[in-house]
Amino acid sequence: MQGTTRLIKTWATGELGQDVLAGAGHDEAYDGSLAVVLERQQHFDAMREAGLIGADTRAFVPGATDSTDGSEGPIVLGYEGSLSDPGGDVQIGTQFFMQTQDYGTSEYLSLIGATLVRVIDETDFETFLEDADRAYLKGDLAEFATHPLVRLCDVTSLGSATPDRGPKLRLYVDAAGQISTSPGGAVLGKVGDDLETLEAEWARLNAASDTPCAVALAKVVPEQTRADALRERPWLAYYHSALAAVRDVRTRGLAELSEIHISGFGQRLDPDLEGADGSAHEARPGSPVLMWTDDQALVFDPRSEKTFQMGRPAARLAERLLVLGSVEAAAQGDEANLLKVEAFFQRAGVQLCVT
């Protein structure tokens, strides 16, 4: 069962995280699509014959007998329930349980285990935007969205900086044999089509949009509505990074949500930066997130998924570098210490400055 949680998160979110890479041992040099969910067991053989389920695939197949050694083919895990319809429980294999939920009612969730939260219609999408706006303007993040057990689905279509890797990463096959990257996604083909056919349609649909991942929510949110909302919020990728940052802090038991403040979300650690234009930092894909509580400060790097703890004086300098974009712009007679902070993060592979 090792890796099941990682691969389900990958399939649901569209993000290939560092934990997945570590578990898989490779990036894109895998055979078939990495994670595939079928609604009907009868489609398995045709998907395998078409090369969509390959030796490296983890396939989730309803009612199937588990085959987990992967020595001569894909790892197959049977499941009971639904990974596409919100509001129910899913059992994968014999030991792993998961909930699925629509975004609009997730505020009222009673979490009992791992949970996937899915945007299922335009109302859900509007609620997601309202939560993002409130967080950005007031620093008030939705509790469920930062819970360690929760993952928001299809984030590549919701403004995340992570590029969607399309059919090579994940596939969903509905009961009628239609194939997409997600349950709410545009149809890319049908059972029997090969990977090249699906990728060509995926590329065609994305080329028609000026915002990332026009596929994963195409059946549930009008593309013009989605694209307009993302363009109006160039900071959405930073919002997703902030959710991941707080989730990491909560997972590690470093702080509770009510204790955490996030730079750029209605406040700054350094009062002198209030009113400063941090738009370049917030719009930069993978930009680090600075947080603090009453007794500690932290920097989360979305690229490496690492969190760094530091004292407040150093954190204020890091914040100046992030918001103002360079040592020269941030210098206030303290250039030597700014350079030390910048050098520390550079050695850790983290870029604080925009330039």
Side-chain angles (χ1 to χ4, degrees), residues 42-52 173 176-179 189-198:
Q42 67 195 49
H43 293 139
F44 178 84
D45 288 341
M47 291 285 288
R48 190 168 184 178
E49 289 172 6
L52 300 179
V173 186
Q178 294 181 318
I179 304 176
K190 63 184 183 303
V191 170
D193 291 337
D194 59 19
L195 188 61
E196 183 178 358
T197 299
L198 301 183

Side-chain angles (χ1 to χ4, degrees), residues 183-305:
V187 175
L188 302 177
K190 63 184 183 303
V191 170
D193 291 337
D194 59 19
L195 188 61
E196 183 178 358
T197 299
L198 301 183
E199 289 196 309
E201 179 63 6
W202 178 79
R204 186 189 70 81
L205 292 170
N206 278 306
S209 177
D210 61 358
T211 56
C213 193
V215 171
L217 293 176
K219 287 201 298 189
V220 296
V221 179
E223 176 56 22
Q224 193 63 53
T225 299
R226 187 192 73 89
D228 288 346
L230 267 59
R231 282 194 300 270
E232 291 167 5
R233 297 167 176 83
W235 44 265
L236 265 178
Y238 189 57
Y239 171 64
H240 284 284
S241 293
L243 295 179
V246 176
R247 190 183 301 122
D248 185 70
V249 168
R250 294 181 67 184
T251 299
R252 297 171 186 271
L254 298 175
E256 294 300 321
L257 175 61
S258 60
E259 303 171 310
I260 301 169
H261 308 277
I262 305 172
S263 180
F265 284 74
Q267 55 195 313
R268 299 290 186 191
L269 175 60
D270 185 346
D272 291 341
L273 291 174
E274 294 292 346
D277 181 11
S279 59
H281 154 56
E282 293 161 7
R284 175 165 57 110
S287 192
V289 178
L290 186 139
M291 303 165 285
W292 71 94
T293 67
D294 288 344
D295 55 7
Q296 64 182 325
L298 311 104
V299 171
F300 175 77
D301 174 42
R303 296 182 185 277
S304 64
E305 301 173 14

